[in-house]
Amino acid sequence: VPGEMILSTQLISPTIKGEAVAYVMDKGKVAIAFPADDLLTRNNLLQAGDHVDVLFSIKTKGTDANTEGGIVTFSALQNLEVAALVRSGNLEAKVNESQPVAIIFAVDPQDALVLKYLKGVGSVVDMVLRAPESKERFEEQPVHMDYLSDRYQLHTPVTP
């Protein structure tokens, strides 16, 4: 109303943190809820504003009938900001004590599809917490049995 005093409780912060994600996120982003199944989130070690890398492990198929697949672990998305944490509906629990059930990320639409796909194929997911000043992209190699064999000079048994 014209002339009415504006109170701080009527304002939202111009960031993508907290409950009002849709009001403040960039128009080129979409919000996606991701299950809070990883150890960092389940143990209340993540909070809105933290930056994480999302690691996935998936089982792959062989390239042909004569080769076996295996498990591959890789960093699918890096430096995602945790926009919000959705906590369980237990009203008696304190906010800091209730376990999150979902993590909200504000991401590019293509990254939302990557998260959806990898969740849909039953990947094992872990979050890696970054230091607040860490913004660079890390160059990593996917890890699979061949990588471990080369790195640690492992000799896998040969089947006769």
Side-chain angles (χ1 to χ4, degrees):
V1 177
E4 182 179 9
M5 184 181 301
I6 298 175
L7 303 174
S8 64
T9 56
Q10 297 169 316
L11 302 175
I12 59 175
S13 173
T15 64
I16 59 167
K17 301 176 191 99
E19 296 177 9
V21 174
Y23 294 112
V24 294
M25 71 182 186
D26 183 280
K27 68 180 183 178
K29 304 279 184 180
V30 295
I32 184 169
F34 201 76
D37 296 334
D38 65 287
L39 286 172
L40 284 177
T41 311
R42 284 195 333 241
N43 288 292
N44 289 316
L45 297 173
L46 292 183
Q47 57 187 335
D50 284 344
H51 287 254
V52 297
D53 294 349
V54 186
L55 308 181
F56 289 92
S57 291
I58 59 173
K59 188 168 184 163
T60 62
K61 293 182 180 179
T63 54
D64 59 39
N66 297 325
T67 61
E68 287 187 30
I71 295 175
V72 177
T73 300
F74 59 98
S75 176
L77 298 172
Q78 293 187 13
N79 200 27
L80 294 183
E81 183 173 5
V82 175
L85 293 171
V86 178
R87 300 203 178 267
S88 65
N90 183 358
L91 298 177
E92 296 176 7
K94 295 179 183 175
V95 172
N96 291 336
E97 293 176 359
S98 63
Q99 181 176 332
V101 293
I103 306 167
I104 306 296
F105 295 115
V107 297
D108 295 325
Q110 188 64 45
D111 288 344
L113 289 173
V114 169
L115 289 171
K116 168 71 174 145
Y117 178 82
L118 289 169
K119 181 179 78 168
V121 296
S123 300
V124 176
V125 179
D126 280 295
M127 303 292 164
V128 179
L129 181 62
R130 284 179 169 246
E133 63 278 356
S134 176
K135 305 292 183 204
E136 70 274 3
R137 175 153 177 73
F138 297 119
E139 295 299 323
E140 305 158 336
Q141 294 180 28
V143 175
H144 43 76
M145 196 60 215
D146 289 342
Y147 173 87
L148 293 175
S149 293
D150 291 344
R151 180 172 178 171
Y152 297 107
Q153 302 302 308
L154 299 175
H155 301 287
T156 56
V158 178
T159 308

PDB file of all heavy atoms in Angstrom, residues 32-60:
ATOM      1  N   ILE A  32      15.771 -28.082  -9.477  1.00  0.00           N
ATOM      2  CA  ILE A  32      15.535 -29.530  -9.469  1.00  0.00           C
ATOM      3  C   ILE A  32      15.781 -30.050  -8.062  1.00  0.00           C
ATOM      4  O   ILE A  32      16.741 -29.653  -7.398  1.00  0.00           O
ATOM      5  CB  ILE A  32      16.414 -30.271 -10.512  1.00  0.00           C
ATOM      6  CG1 ILE A  32      16.066 -31.766 -10.549  1.00  0.00           C
ATOM      7  CG2 ILE A  32      17.883 -30.033 -10.271  1.00  0.00           C
ATOM      8  CD1 ILE A  32      16.679 -32.526 -11.715  1.00  0.00           C
ATOM      9  N   ALA A  33      14.885 -30.906  -7.605  1.00  0.00           N
ATOM     10  CA  ALA A  33      15.044 -31.556  -6.308  1.00  0.00           C
ATOM     11  C   ALA A  33      15.767 -32.872  -6.532  1.00  0.00           C
ATOM     12  O   ALA A  33      15.421 -33.641  -7.424  1.00  0.00           O
ATOM     13  CB  ALA A  33      13.685 -31.788  -5.665  1.00  0.00           C
ATOM     14  N   PHE A  34      16.776 -33.111  -5.720  1.00  0.00           N
ATOM     15  CA  PHE A  34      17.577 -34.316  -5.846  1.00  0.00           C
ATOM     16  C   PHE A  34      17.544 -35.038  -4.501  1.00  0.00           C
ATOM     17  O   PHE A  34      17.642 -34.395  -3.451  1.00  0.00           O
ATOM     18  CB  PHE A  34      19.010 -33.937  -6.229  1.00  0.00           C
ATOM     19  CG  PHE A  34      19.769 -35.047  -6.861  1.00  0.00           C
ATOM     20  CD1 PHE A  34      19.538 -35.400  -8.180  1.00  0.00           C
ATOM     21  CD2 PHE A  34      20.704 -35.760  -6.139  1.00  0.00           C
ATOM     22  CE1 PHE A  34      20.227 -36.446  -8.770  1.00  0.00           C
ATOM     23  CE2 PHE A  34      21.399 -36.801  -6.716  1.00  0.00           C
ATOM     24  CZ  PHE A  34      21.160 -37.146  -8.042  1.00  0.00           C
ATOM     25  N   PRO A  35      17.394 -36.362  -4.498  1.00  0.00           N
ATOM     26  CA  PRO A  35      17.311 -37.078  -3.221  1.00  0.00           C
ATOM     27  C   PRO A  35      18.529 -36.829  -2.330  1.00  0.00           C
ATOM     28  O   PRO A  35      19.651 -36.767  -2.812  1.00  0.00           O
ATOM     29  CB  PRO A  35      17.264 -38.553  -3.636  1.00  0.00           C
ATOM     30  CG  PRO A  35      16.855 -38.554  -5.064  1.00  0.00           C
ATOM     31  CD  PRO A  35      17.347 -37.263  -5.645  1.00  0.00           C
ATOM     32  N   ALA A  36      18.272 -36.688  -1.057  1.00  0.00           N
ATOM     33  CA  ALA A  36      19.341 -36.445  -0.084  1.00  0.00           C
ATOM     34  C   ALA A  36      19.810 -37.779   0.484  1.00  0.00           C
ATOM     35  O   ALA A  36      19.710 -38.033   1.678  1.00  0.00           O
ATOM     36  CB  ALA A  36      18.837 -35.521   1.022  1.00  0.00           C
ATOM     37  N   ASP A  37      20.342 -38.632  -0.400  1.00  0.00           N
ATOM     38  CA  ASP A  37      20.747 -39.978   0.000  1.00  0.00           C
ATOM     39  C   ASP A  37      22.226 -40.100   0.336  1.00  0.00           C
ATOM     40  O   ASP A  37      22.657 -41.130   0.835  1.00  0.00           O
ATOM     41  CB  ASP A  37      20.425 -40.972  -1.123  1.00  0.00           C
ATOM     42  CG  ASP A  37      18.937 -41.093  -1.381  1.00  0.00           C
ATOM     43  OD1 ASP A  37      18.150 -40.833  -0.452  1.00  0.00           O
ATOM     44  OD2 ASP A  37      18.572 -41.444  -2.516  1.00  0.00           O
ATOM     45  N   ASP A  38      23.019 -39.086   0.038  1.00  0.00           N
ATOM     46  CA  ASP A  38      24.459 -39.185   0.259  1.00  0.00           C
ATOM     47  C   ASP A  38      24.789 -38.919   1.730  1.00  0.00           C
ATOM     48  O   ASP A  38      23.990 -38.351   2.479  1.00  0.00           O
ATOM     49  CB  ASP A  38      25.199 -38.195  -0.645  1.00  0.00           C
ATOM     50  CG  ASP A  38      24.857 -36.773  -0.278  1.00  0.00           C
ATOM     51  OD1 ASP A  38      23.732 -36.341  -0.583  1.00  0.00           O
ATOM     52  OD2 ASP A  38      25.690 -36.099   0.344  1.00  0.00           O
ATOM     53  N   LEU A  39      25.968 -39.315   2.144  1.00  0.00           N
ATOM     54  CA  LEU A  39      26.359 -39.201   3.553  1.00  0.00           C
ATOM     55  C   LEU A  39      26.468 -37.763   4.042  1.00  0.00           C
ATOM     56  O   LEU A  39      26.080 -37.464   5.174  1.00  0.00           O
ATOM     57  CB  LEU A  39      27.686 -39.934   3.795  1.00  0.00           C
ATOM     58  CG  LEU A  39      27.604 -41.457   3.804  1.00  0.00           C
ATOM     59  CD1 LEU A  39      29.001 -42.059   3.860  1.00  0.00           C
ATOM     60  CD2 LEU A  39      26.771 -41.937   4.975  1.00  0.00           C
ATOM     61  N   LEU A  40      27.004 -36.867   3.225  1.00  0.00           N
ATOM     62  CA  LEU A  40      27.129 -35.474   3.662  1.00  0.00           C
ATOM     63  C   LEU A  40      25.773 -34.875   3.992  1.00  0.00           C
ATOM     64  O   LEU A  40      25.605 -34.223   5.015  1.00  0.00           O
ATOM     65  CB  LEU A  40      27.815 -34.616   2.583  1.00  0.00           C
ATOM     66  CG  LEU A  40      29.317 -34.748   2.427  1.00  0.00           C
ATOM     67  CD1 LEU A  40      29.804 -33.878   1.263  1.00  0.00           C
ATOM     68  CD2 LEU A  40      30.045 -34.360   3.696  1.00  0.00           C
ATOM     69  N   THR A  41      24.806 -35.097   3.121  1.00  0.00           N
ATOM     70  CA  THR A  41      23.485 -34.507   3.322  1.00  0.00           C
ATOM     71  C   THR A  41      22.740 -35.193   4.453  1.00  0.00           C
ATOM     72  O   THR A  41      22.142 -34.528   5.304  1.00  0.00           O
ATOM     73  CB  THR A  41      22.659 -34.578   2.022  1.00  0.00           C
ATOM     74  OG1 THR A  41      23.457 -34.096   0.939  1.00  0.00           O
ATOM     75  CG2 THR A  41      21.425 -33.706   2.125  1.00  0.00           C
ATOM     76  N   ARG A  42      22.778 -36.515   4.495  1.00  0.00           N
ATOM     77  CA  ARG A  42      22.067 -37.248   5.551  1.00  0.00           C
ATOM     78  C   ARG A  42      22.579 -36.894   6.937  1.00  0.00           C
ATOM     79  O   ARG A  42      21.853 -37.015   7.919  1.00  0.00           O
ATOM     80  CB  ARG A  42      22.202 -38.758   5.333  1.00  0.00           C
ATOM     81  CG  ARG A  42      21.320 -39.273   4.239  1.00  0.00           C
ATOM     82  CD  ARG A  42      21.184 -40.796   4.256  1.00  0.00           C
ATOM     83  NE  ARG A  42      22.290 -41.510   4.838  1.00  0.00           N
ATOM     84  CZ  ARG A  42      23.049 -42.395   4.205  1.00  0.00           C
ATOM     85  NH1 ARG A  42      22.812 -42.685   2.951  1.00  0.00           N
ATOM     86  NH2 ARG A  42      24.027 -43.009   4.817  1.00  0.00           N
ATOM     87  N   ASN A  43      23.822 -36.471   7.025  1.00  0.00           N
ATOM     88  CA  ASN A  43      24.403 -36.121   8.326  1.00  0.00           C
ATOM     89  C   ASN A  43      24.421 -34.620   8.575  1.00  0.00           C
ATOM     90  O   ASN A  43      25.182 -34.132   9.410  1.00  0.00           O
ATOM     91  CB  ASN A  43      25.806 -36.716   8.441  1.00  0.00           C
ATOM     92  CG  ASN A  43      25.743 -38.211   8.620  1.00  0.00           C
ATOM     93  OD1 ASN A  43      25.298 -38.696   9.648  1.00  0.00           O
ATOM     94  ND2 ASN A  43      26.132 -38.956   7.596  1.00  0.00           N
ATOM     95  N   ASN A  44      23.582 -33.886   7.834  1.00  0.00           N
ATOM     96  CA  ASN A  44      23.413 -32.436   8.030  1.00  0.00           C
ATOM     97  C   ASN A  44      24.705 -31.651   7.871  1.00  0.00           C
ATOM     98  O   ASN A  44      24.940 -30.668   8.577  1.00  0.00           O
ATOM     99  CB  ASN A  44      22.770 -32.144   9.388  1.00  0.00           C
ATOM    100  CG  ASN A  44      21.325 -32.548   9.428  1.00  0.00           C
ATOM    101  OD1 ASN A  44      20.580 -32.279   8.485  1.00  0.00           O
ATOM    102  ND2 ASN A  44      20.919 -33.201  10.500  1.00  0.00           N
ATOM    103  N   LEU A  45      25.570 -32.076   6.958  1.00  0.00           N
ATOM    104  CA  LEU A  45      26.830 -31.385   6.736  1.00  0.00           C
ATOM    105  C   LEU A  45      26.758 -30.399   5.576  1.00  0.00           C
ATOM    106  O   LEU A  45      27.712 -29.662   5.334  1.00  0.00           O
ATOM    107  CB  LEU A  45      27.956 -32.392   6.511  1.00  0.00           C
ATOM    108  CG  LEU A  45      28.218 -33.304   7.716  1.00  0.00           C
ATOM    109  CD1 LEU A  45      29.225 -34.379   7.365  1.00  0.00           C
ATOM    110  CD2 LEU A  45      28.694 -32.495   8.914  1.00  0.00           C
ATOM    111  N   LEU A  46      25.633 -30.385   4.849  1.00  0.00           N
ATOM    112  CA  LEU A  46      25.432 -29.416   3.771  1.00  0.00           C
ATOM    113  C   LEU A  46      24.401 -28.392   4.197  1.00  0.00           C
ATOM    114  O   LEU A  46      23.485 -28.700   4.951  1.00  0.00           O
ATOM    115  CB  LEU A  46      24.952 -30.108   2.492  1.00  0.00           C
ATOM    116  CG  LEU A  46      25.920 -31.027   1.778  1.00  0.00           C
ATOM    117  CD1 LEU A  46      25.282 -31.557   0.495  1.00  0.00           C
ATOM    118  CD2 LEU A  46      27.225 -30.332   1.467  1.00  0.00           C
ATOM    119  N   GLN A  47      24.556 -27.190   3.664  1.00  0.00           N
ATOM    120  CA  GLN A  47      23.570 -26.146   3.927  1.00  0.00           C
ATOM    121  C   GLN A  47      23.424 -25.287   2.679  1.00  0.00           C
ATOM    122  O   GLN A  47      24.259 -25.330   1.772  1.00  0.00           O
ATOM    123  CB  GLN A  47      23.965 -25.314   5.131  1.00  0.00           C
ATOM    124  CG  GLN A  47      25.327 -24.656   5.020  1.00  0.00           C
ATOM    125  CD  GLN A  47      25.742 -23.994   6.316  1.00  0.00           C
ATOM    126  OE1 GLN A  47      24.910 -23.621   7.128  1.00  0.00           O
ATOM    127  NE2 GLN A  47      27.025 -23.842   6.524  1.00  0.00           N
ATOM    128  N   ALA A  48      22.345 -24.526   2.625  1.00  0.00           N
ATOM    129  CA  ALA A  48      22.112 -23.647   1.484  1.00  0.00           C
ATOM    130  C   ALA A  48      23.312 -22.727   1.315  1.00  0.00           C
ATOM    131  O   ALA A  48      23.835 -22.181   2.288  1.00  0.00           O
ATOM    132  CB  ALA A  48      20.833 -22.834   1.697  1.00  0.00           C
ATOM    133  N   GLY A  49      23.759 -22.587   0.079  1.00  0.00           N
ATOM    134  CA  GLY A  49      24.918 -21.753  -0.230  1.00  0.00           C
ATOM    135  C   GLY A  49      26.205 -22.528  -0.410  1.00  0.00           C
ATOM    136  O   GLY A  49      27.154 -22.015  -0.994  1.00  0.00           O
ATOM    137  N   ASP A  50      26.260 -23.773   0.081  1.00  0.00           N
ATOM    138  CA  ASP A  50      27.447 -24.606  -0.132  1.00  0.00           C
ATOM    139  C   ASP A  50      27.576 -24.949  -1.611  1.00  0.00           C
ATOM    140  O   ASP A  50      26.590 -25.020  -2.342  1.00  0.00           O
ATOM    141  CB  ASP A  50      27.363 -25.909   0.665  1.00  0.00           C
ATOM    142  CG  ASP A  50      27.649 -25.730   2.145  1.00  0.00           C
ATOM    143  OD1 ASP A  50      28.200 -24.679   2.524  1.00  0.00           O
ATOM    144  OD2 ASP A  50      27.308 -26.644   2.919  1.00  0.00           O
ATOM    145  N   HIS A  51      28.809 -25.203  -2.034  1.00  0.00           N
ATOM    146  CA  HIS A  51      29.078 -25.644  -3.404  1.00  0.00           C
ATOM    147  C   HIS A  51      29.574 -27.079  -3.355  1.00  0.00           C
ATOM    148  O   HIS A  51      30.423 -27.421  -2.532  1.00  0.00           O
ATOM    149  CB  HIS A  51      30.112 -24.737  -4.078  1.00  0.00           C
ATOM    150  CG  HIS A  51      29.549 -23.407  -4.443  1.00  0.00           C
ATOM    151  ND1 HIS A  51      29.255 -23.053  -5.736  1.00  0.00           N
ATOM    152  CD2 HIS A  51      29.175 -22.355  -3.679  1.00  0.00           C
ATOM    153  CE1 HIS A  51      28.747 -21.843  -5.751  1.00  0.00           C
ATOM    154  NE2 HIS A  51      28.694 -21.392  -4.514  1.00  0.00           N
ATOM    155  N   VAL A  52      29.028 -27.903  -4.249  1.00  0.00           N
ATOM    156  CA  VAL A  52      29.358 -29.324  -4.260  1.00  0.00           C
ATOM    157  C   VAL A  52      29.640 -29.796  -5.679  1.00  0.00           C
ATOM    158  O   VAL A  52      29.203 -29.185  -6.649  1.00  0.00           O
ATOM    159  CB  VAL A  52      28.211 -30.184  -3.666  1.00  0.00           C
ATOM    160  CG1 VAL A  52      27.960 -29.849  -2.205  1.00  0.00           C
ATOM    161  CG2 VAL A  52      26.937 -30.049  -4.476  1.00  0.00           C
ATOM    162  N   ASP A  53      30.375 -30.891  -5.774  1.00  0.00           N
ATOM    163  CA  ASP A  53      30.503 -31.649  -7.006  1.00  0.00           C
ATOM    164  C   ASP A  53      29.650 -32.900  -6.803  1.00  0.00           C
ATOM    165  O   ASP A  53      29.587 -33.434  -5.695  1.00  0.00           O
ATOM    166  CB  ASP A  53      31.946 -32.063  -7.263  1.00  0.00           C
ATOM    167  CG  ASP A  53      32.868 -30.877  -7.531  1.00  0.00           C
ATOM    168  OD1 ASP A  53      32.361 -29.755  -7.727  1.00  0.00           O
ATOM    169  OD2 ASP A  53      34.087 -31.081  -7.544  1.00  0.00           O
ATOM    170  N   VAL A  54      28.989 -33.362  -7.858  1.00  0.00           N
ATOM    171  CA  VAL A  54      28.126 -34.528  -7.764  1.00  0.00           C
ATOM    172  C   VAL A  54      28.819 -35.697  -8.454  1.00  0.00           C
ATOM    173  O   VAL A  54      29.077 -35.661  -9.653  1.00  0.00           O
ATOM    174  CB  VAL A  54      26.746 -34.255  -8.401  1.00  0.00           C
ATOM    175  CG1 VAL A  54      25.810 -35.429  -8.161  1.00  0.00           C
ATOM    176  CG2 VAL A  54      26.132 -32.971  -7.845  1.00  0.00           C
ATOM    177  N   LEU A  55      29.161 -36.719  -7.673  1.00  0.00           N
ATOM    178  CA  LEU A  55      29.852 -37.913  -8.178  1.00  0.00           C
ATOM    179  C   LEU A  55      28.846 -39.037  -8.374  1.00  0.00           C
ATOM    180  O   LEU A  55      27.964 -39.231  -7.548  1.00  0.00           O
ATOM    181  CB  LEU A  55      30.922 -38.370  -7.188  1.00  0.00           C
ATOM    182  CG  LEU A  55      31.943 -37.336  -6.716  1.00  0.00           C
ATOM    183  CD1 LEU A  55      32.933 -37.983  -5.764  1.00  0.00           C
ATOM    184  CD2 LEU A  55      32.643 -36.687  -7.884  1.00  0.00           C
ATOM    185  N   PHE A  56      28.999 -39.767  -9.466  1.00  0.00           N
ATOM    186  CA  PHE A  56      28.115 -40.881  -9.781  1.00  0.00           C
ATOM    187  C   PHE A  56      28.931 -42.123 -10.038  1.00  0.00           C
ATOM    188  O   PHE A  56      30.001 -42.058 -10.627  1.00  0.00           O
ATOM    189  CB  PHE A  56      27.300 -40.587 -11.051  1.00  0.00           C
ATOM    190  CG  PHE A  56      26.248 -39.551 -10.865  1.00  0.00           C
ATOM    191  CD1 PHE A  56      26.526 -38.225 -11.114  1.00  0.00           C
ATOM    192  CD2 PHE A  56      24.976 -39.907 -10.448  1.00  0.00           C
ATOM    193  CE1 PHE A  56      25.562 -37.255 -10.950  1.00  0.00           C
ATOM    194  CE2 PHE A  56      23.996 -38.947 -10.279  1.00  0.00           C
ATOM    195  CZ  PHE A  56      24.286 -37.621 -10.535  1.00  0.00           C
ATOM    196  N   SER A  57      28.399 -43.269  -9.628  1.00  0.00           N
ATOM    197  CA  SER A  57      28.945 -44.571  -9.997  1.00  0.00           C
ATOM    198  C   SER A  57      27.833 -45.331 -10.687  1.00  0.00           C
ATOM    199  O   SER A  57      26.736 -45.475 -10.129  1.00  0.00           O
ATOM    200  CB  SER A  57      29.414 -45.346  -8.768  1.00  0.00           C
ATOM    201  OG  SER A  57      30.541 -44.734  -8.199  1.00  0.00           O
ATOM    202  N   ILE A  58      28.116 -45.792 -11.919  1.00  0.00           N
ATOM    203  CA  ILE A  58      27.113 -46.555 -12.659  1.00  0.00           C
ATOM    204  C   ILE A  58      27.743 -47.826 -13.206  1.00  0.00           C
ATOM    205  O   ILE A  58      28.941 -47.882 -13.448  1.00  0.00           O
ATOM    206  CB  ILE A  58      26.478 -45.745 -13.814  1.00  0.00           C
ATOM    207  CG1 ILE A  58      27.527 -45.280 -14.827  1.00  0.00           C
ATOM    208  CG2 ILE A  58      25.682 -44.581 -13.298  1.00  0.00           C
ATOM    209  CD1 ILE A  58      26.943 -44.621 -16.056  1.00  0.00           C
ATOM    210  N   LYS A  59      26.903 -48.830 -13.388  1.00  0.00           N
ATOM    211  CA  LYS A  59      27.355 -50.086 -13.981  1.00  0.00           C
ATOM    212  C   LYS A  59      27.201 -49.962 -15.491  1.00  0.00           C
ATOM    213  O   LYS A  59      26.145 -49.575 -15.988  1.00  0.00           O
ATOM    214  CB  LYS A  59      26.539 -51.256 -13.453  1.00  0.00           C
ATOM    215  CG  LYS A  59      27.095 -52.580 -13.875  1.00  0.00           C
ATOM    216  CD  LYS A  59      26.461 -53.717 -13.131  1.00  0.00           C
ATOM    217  CE  LYS A  59      27.169 -54.982 -13.558  1.00  0.00           C
ATOM    218  NZ  LYS A  59      26.958 -56.076 -12.671  1.00  0.00           N
ATOM    219  N   THR A  60      28.261 -50.286 -16.217  1.00  0.00           N
ATOM    220  CA  THR A  60      28.244 -50.177 -17.673  1.00  0.00           C
ATOM    221  C   THR A  60      28.183 -51.556 -18.299  1.00  0.00           C
ATOM    222  O   THR A  60      28.520 -52.561 -17.671  1.00  0.00           O
ATOM    223  CB  THR A  60      29.495 -49.437 -18.188  1.00  0.00           C
ATOM    224  OG1 THR A  60      30.655 -50.195 -17.824  1.00  0.00           O
ATOM    225  CG2 THR A  60      29.587 -48.045 -17.611  1.00  0.00           C
TER     226      THR A  60
END
